[in-house]
Amino acid sequence: MVTVHHRTVSTGGLDVFWREAGPADAPVLVLLHGYPTSSHMFRHLIPVLAERYRVIAPDHIGFGRSSAPSVDEFDYTFAALTEVTARFLSTIGVAHYTIYVQDYGAPIGWRLALADPGAVDGVITQNGNAYEEGFVAEFWYPIWADAAERTDETRDALRPALGRAAVEWQYTHGVPDPSTVDPDAWEHDIALLARPGQDDIQLALFRDYTTNRDLYPAVHAWLRTSRVPVLAIWGRNDEIFDAAGARAFLGDAPDAHIELIDGGHFLLESELDLVATTITNWLAAARLSH
């Protein structure tokens, strides 16, 4: 049975918590989580992948068990989260890796790749967007409105996204049988969102999300020139990033493997075995296991 370690390291005055498993000398997989969760979303996947890989899953600043300074103490932007992640990887001695990105993890992963293109050996994107085609307009409209108008009214319109109903919806929508999703997953997130200051943290990141769109042309150019292997494995019923976002990778990475699965945004909760098998087979075929 694989042993999963739960560790914390200080970098730049901030504590980064991460989960790690697998041989120390194995190829590295860096798992970057989305909103509103943490490395907790990978709790079942890590032991499966760790049979052949060194698996590292950090909590972003403001999430999980990592430091969560107030918005007055830390600039909650995706650029700032990426800087901490890059320092964290350097601190623990990771120079080359394949990234698994989901939701918020995607723009952090893209920034890591653009800053150090040679460090990223492969990309696994699970409902992690890099194209305008992926945005579901109805979901994203209030976020774009807040980023553009920056008023108290547009900011407050996003507060329901922090609530119980919205968090549970992220886990259950698009899932053929919602009873397969463990309620502990969203209860874990809801408890962390209830911490003092979390509303300001998450609303700041909502407002900053539009900066990620500005990166997309550079990400596309990196995919074309690097020819990095890409697996886009997607819950095709996701009402946040729809399946068009997965297929769009073929425009810049024509050899990308696109896998659309009958599920929603948090695919690992309902289709863990299928996702894990697809990933391990793809890693072997892409020769990322040596």
Side-chain angles (χ1 to χ4, degrees):
M1 188 172 184
V2 171
T3 299
V4 178
H5 299 273
H6 304 82
R7 296 175 166 144
T8 301
V9 67
S10 181
T11 175
L14 297 166
D15 288 340
V16 176
F17 170 87
W18 82 101
R19 302 168 196 255
E20 179 173 348
D25 59 350
V28 176
L29 302 180
V30 175
L31 314 184
L32 300 175
H33 69 81
Y35 170 85
T37 186
S38 63
S39 61
H40 182 260
M41 71 169 282
F42 300 118
R43 65 199 181 282
H44 300 309
L45 181 65
I46 290 171
V48 180
L49 298 180
E51 294 287 350
R52 295 186 179 181
Y53 301 91
R54 181 186 177 193
V55 186
I56 295 167
D59 289 351
H60 306 315
I61 296 302
F63 294 80
R65 297 183 63 84
S66 287
S67 292
S70 72
V71 294
D72 296 325
E73 300 168 306
F74 182 80
D75 183 22
Y76 280 94
T77 64
F78 286 90
L81 295 183
T82 303
E83 290 175 8
V84 176
T85 305
R87 289 201 308 267
F88 159 72
L89 292 173
S90 177
T91 299
I92 66 170
V94 171
H96 295 277
Y97 48 90
T98 292
I99 50 174
Y100 176 130
V101 299
Q102 194 265 353
D103 191 82
Y104 276 12
I108 294 171
W110 308 149
R111 282 178 168 82
L112 289 172
L114 294 176
D116 189 0
V120 179
D121 300 321
V123 172
I124 301 163
T125 173
Q126 186 254 295
N127 299 73
N129 207 45
Y131 292 88
E132 291 293 329
E133 292 90 332
F135 293 112
V136 176
E138 183 179 0
F139 178 89
W140 286 94
Y141 173 78
I143 296 174
W144 304 149
D146 181 53
E149 299 175 30
R150 294 177 175 264
T151 67
D152 290 342
E153 290 77 11
T154 58
R155 185 175 187 266
D156 288 343
L158 295 174
R159 289 187 182 278
L162 308 175
R164 170 174 291 277
V167 173
E168 183 173 344
W169 173 84
Q170 287 207 43
Y171 279 93
T172 58
H173 83 269
V175 180
D177 181 1
S179 72
T180 62
V181 180
D182 184 352
D184 288 349
W186 66 73
E187 294 294 345
H188 175 271
D189 295 350
I190 290 167
L192 291 173
L193 283 172
R195 293 177 296 175
Q198 272 290 310
D199 55 345
D200 291 331
I201 289 170
Q202 301 306 334
L203 290 168
L205 288 170
F206 289 168
R207 184 167 285 185
D208 189 63
Y209 198 93
T210 191
T211 65
N212 300 326
R213 301 168 77 183
D214 298 336
L215 290 179
Y216 286 174
V219 175
H220 304 161
W222 168 67
L223 290 170
R224 290 193 302 271
T225 58
S226 69
R227 301 184 64 84
V228 63
V230 174
L231 167 63
I233 184 164
W234 223 265
R236 66 174 178 234
N237 308 322
D238 190 356
E239 296 178 29
I240 300 172
F241 298 118
D242 69 20
R247 291 189 289 264
F249 280 91
L250 291 169
D252 298 299
D255 296 327
H257 180 77
I258 312 299
E259 191 79 26
L260 303 180
I261 295 174
D262 193 13
H265 191 63
F266 283 110
L267 200 55
L268 294 178
E269 297 298 328
S270 61
E271 295 292 344
L272 174 68
D273 290 346
L274 180 54
V275 173
T277 299
T278 302
I279 289 173
T280 53
N281 289 343
W282 176 81
L283 286 166
R287 300 185 182 276
L288 294 171
S289 57
H290 305 289

